[in-house]
Amino acid sequence: MKRLFIFALLALLTLPCMAQKTNTIKPFILGHQTEIKSKILGEKRVLNIYVPDGYNAKDTVTYPVIYLLDGSTDEDFLHISGLVQYSSFEWVNYIPKSIVVGIATVNRKRDFTFASTVGEQMKAYPEAGHSDKFIAFIEKELQPFISKNYQVGSSKTIIGQSMGGLLETEILFKNPELFSRYIIISPSLWWDNGSLLNTNPEILGADFKHPTEVYIGVGKEGLAPTTAPHVMEVDANLLAEKIKGSKSSTVKVIFDYLPSEDHATIMHQATLNAFKLLMAK
């Protein structure tokens, strides 16, 4: 009986300590997650959403929206959202407060590439070549979903690296009015033996009027993983030079070579540079 009393007393004494410890642990919330059911892709897609401090869905204030490819929580969503928050602090003021829409990855090669005429590529990646459906998903389902459910304005930016940069380049060349700004990092322009670099997109014409800003960042990355010789830095520079040749007064491009970064490390630094060089007012 005495032992039972002592045990009960100890339990009562430790309860406040446990409660105190429990009360000091609170969840840290950066954003939220939702899903969109895509008829075009025939699947559900996960979206990771960051909204800035002070955001109120019932308010009339609207925000620029930044669409992030490879936007899973274990990919680029967390650190890019952090950069967006930092860059929009009023004492930094590189960019305005913005909403980030991270598109979680399902199959990069399927979604980010168009069909290749290089037999070895399609043999190695038989699921590749369906970027047309993914672009249609962005235009006809994703952007309307975001416009309906969030307080967004007309400013739309897209960020992507590697094959994500390839997809951005395809959108820029084939459907440029989908976005206001393109942050293209280490684009995999070697796909289909660099065929995108040989096209003549409408953004090069004098009659193209949509205000379009392009940042192209690349590190010291060397040869691309393809049988035909392609150097990542060279291809990225060729893309920048091609866009610089535009006769349109509404197209702006910045080329940024980061020799201290490589394909694995460039994403964070290049995005920050893009905010500073392209968007800072």
Side-chain angles (χ1 to χ4, degrees), residues 159-171:
I159 303 175
Q161 184 202 7
S162 194
M163 284 193 167
L166 174 71
L167 178 75
E168 281 188 79
T169 305
E170 184 182 1
I171 296 172

Side-chain angles (χ1 to χ4, degrees), residues 138-156:
I138 291 174
E139 178 183 11
K140 298 177 181 179
E141 294 178 329
L142 178 59
Q143 288 188 347
F145 175 84
I146 297 300
S147 296
K148 180 181 178 181
N149 292 283
Y150 297 89
Q151 298 293 100
V152 299
S154 60
S155 174
K156 293 175 286 188

Side-chain angles (χ1 to χ4, degrees), residues 41-77:
L41 298 176
E43 62 190 14
K44 290 182 179 179
R45 298 301 294 248
V46 172
L47 304 176
N48 295 302
I49 312 290
Y50 162 84
V51 296
D53 183 50
Y55 175 86
N56 185 345
K58 297 181 180 180
D59 204 342
T60 57
V61 177
T62 60
Y63 298 85
V65 57
I66 297 172
Y67 291 86
L68 175 65
L69 302 172
D70 294 319
S72 301
T73 54
D74 60 350
E75 294 179 304
D76 295 325
F77 177 73

Side-chain angles (χ1 to χ4, degrees), residues 214-218 233 236-238 240 244 253-257 277:
V214 183
Y215 168 93
I216 301 170
V218 66
E233 300 94 307
N237 189 47
L238 288 173
K244 284 178 182 178
V253 61
I254 293 174
F255 178 72
D256 190 18
Y257 177 48
L277 297 172

Side-chain angles (χ1 to χ4, degrees), residues 32 75 78 88 156 165 171 196 200 212 215 251 257-258 262 264:
H32 63 271
E75 294 179 304
L78 295 178
S88 63
K156 293 175 286 188
I171 296 172
L196 271 182
N200 187 33
T212 306
Y215 168 93
V251 176
Y257 177 48
L258 291 78
D262 58 27

Side-chain angles (χ1 to χ4, degrees), residues 85-106:
Q85 181 198 45
Y86 166 78
S87 298
S88 63
F89 284 147
E90 61 183 34
W91 55 89
V92 178
N93 199 29
Y94 290 154
I95 65 173
K97 288 185 175 182
S98 303
I99 295 170
V100 179
V101 178
I103 310 169
T105 298
V106 172

Side-chain angles (χ1 to χ4, degrees), residues 23-40:
N23 289 338
T24 60
I25 300 175
K26 297 180 180 180
F28 175 79
I29 300 173
L30 177 68
H32 63 271
Q33 193 172 88
T34 187
E35 285 186 344
I36 178 173
K37 187 174 182 179
S38 171
K39 292 182 179 179
I40 294 172

